[in-house]
Amino acid sequence: QVQLVESGGGVVQPGGSLRLSCAASGFTFSSYGMHWVRQAPGKGLEWVAFIRYDGSNKYYADSVKGRFTISRDNSKNTLYLQMNSLRAEDTAVYYCAKDPALGDWGQGTLVTVSS
Amino acid sequence: DIVMTQTPLSLSVTPGQPASISCKSSQSLLHSDGKTYLYWYLQKPGQSPQLLIYEVSNRFSGVPDRFSGSGSGTDFTLKISRVEAEDVGVYYCMQSIQLITFGQGTRLEIK
């Protein structure tokens, strides 16, 4: 069965960087687009970024464009989110989710941006 | 950006009674390929979101048939024919015709 396991969350100071990972198993990772979605504490869902199955195209929410970079390593079945210039408003649980239709989600990893 | 507006934002339902959630988009979600890119998710307390309905009216694998989706263009509805205790949580609609945006969420509780 599909399994998505996020890691890399933690506490970081404003202006700092963090790299999230999402380890995938149970499906042919290299055949599917992947998303990052976040949820601030007590708030709703916010889509962050998408990468096509082969990494050829990447799309970002305006709120993270220029600061976050989505990437993947199909040889390692792993999705990444490099987060730079972090702000307090980036504090959230970050989920990876699989296409199509975000049909499968990981359990999330918490990122806290605080001094 | 496409804005997704859900109503109501919360509802309290007696077990066995029906429930309905509306979702309106600021632009048509009908693509030139004939598909309408509207989805419904449920986030149960303490869990990750789970897909319920894709492309307006198709139930995802394992979703009980008491859940149904309908609508077209910009107006969509999720219906639960007979609410059960396990249906508690926050329901989100989502569009993917133009990047991705979610509705604000509708919290369902049991009376």
Side-chain angles (χ1 to χ4, degrees), chain A residues 35 37 39 43-47 59-60 62 95 101-108, chain B residues 1 39 41 43 47-51 54 60 92 94 99-104 107:
Chain A
H35 301 261
V37 177
Q39 186 170 37
K43 303 297 185 183
L45 301 172
E46 180 188 15
W47 174 80
Y59 303 89
Y60 299 92
D62 287 344
Y95 298 98
L102 285 76
D104 297 279
W105 296 62
Q107 85 290 347
Chain B
D1 290 8
Y39 306 82
Y41 299 83
Q43 186 172 30
Q47 295 186 18
S48 303
Q50 58 188 84
L51 176 64
Y54 63 95
F60 191 53
Y92 296 93
M94 183 200 85
L99 296 183
I100 285 180
T101 47
F102 291 92
Q104 320 97 297
R107 184 173 302 276

Side-chain angles (χ1 to χ4, degrees), chain B residues 68-86:
Chain B
S68 64
S70 62
S72 63
T74 61
D75 288 358
F76 304 95
T77 302
L78 175 71
K79 292 183 179 177
I80 310 173
S81 59
R82 295 173 304 279
V83 170
E84 298 187 4
E86 66 180 26

Side-chain angles (χ1 to χ4, degrees), chain B residues 11-68:
Chain B
L11 68 165
S12 183
V13 183
T14 301
Q17 294 301 302
S20 179
I21 300 170
S22 170
C23 176
K24 296 185 189 297
S25 58
S26 59
Q27 299 175 37
S28 175
L29 303 185
L30 174 62
H31 194 275
S32 56
D33 64 7
K35 295 181 181 179
T36 300
Y37 290 90
L38 185 282
Y39 306 82
W40 290 97
Y41 299 83
L42 165 60
Q43 186 172 30
K44 296 182 178 181
Q47 295 186 18
S48 303
Q50 58 188 84
L51 176 64
L52 296 175
I53 303 286
Y54 63 95
E55 294 169 16
V56 179
S57 58
N58 300 284
R59 276 188 300 277
F60 191 53
S61 174
V63 175
D65 60 8
R66 64 179 182 274
F67 291 93
S68 64

Side-chain angles (χ1 to χ4, degrees), chain A residues 23-62:
Chain A
S25 60
F27 66 102
T28 305
F29 180 71
S30 59
S31 296
Y32 292 90
M34 296 291 296
H35 301 261
W36 286 100
V37 177
R38 68 184 181 183
Q39 186 170 37
K43 303 297 185 183
L45 301 172
E46 180 188 15
W47 174 80
V48 173
F50 169 75
I51 185 168
R52 284 177 55 90
Y53 69 99
D54 58 0
S56 59
N57 292 92
K58 306 173 185 181
Y59 303 89
Y60 299 92
D62 287 344

Side-chain angles (χ1 to χ4, degrees), chain A residues 13-18 66-68 83-88 90 113:
Chain A
Q13 292 188 340
S17 298
L18 212 54
R67 300 188 299 123
F68 289 12
M83 304 186 296
N84 298 333
S85 303
L86 282 161
R87 307 166 180 166
D90 296 318
V113 183

Side-chain angles (χ1 to χ4, degrees), chain A residues 8-18 20 38-41 68 83 86-94 109-115:
Chain A
V11 180
V12 61
Q13 292 188 340
S17 298
L18 212 54
L20 306 183
R38 68 184 181 183
Q39 186 170 37
F68 289 12
M83 304 186 296
L86 282 161
R87 307 166 180 166
E89 54 265 36
D90 296 318
T91 294
V93 173
Y94 284 74
T109 186
L110 176 62
V111 172
T112 303
V113 183
S114 173
S115 54

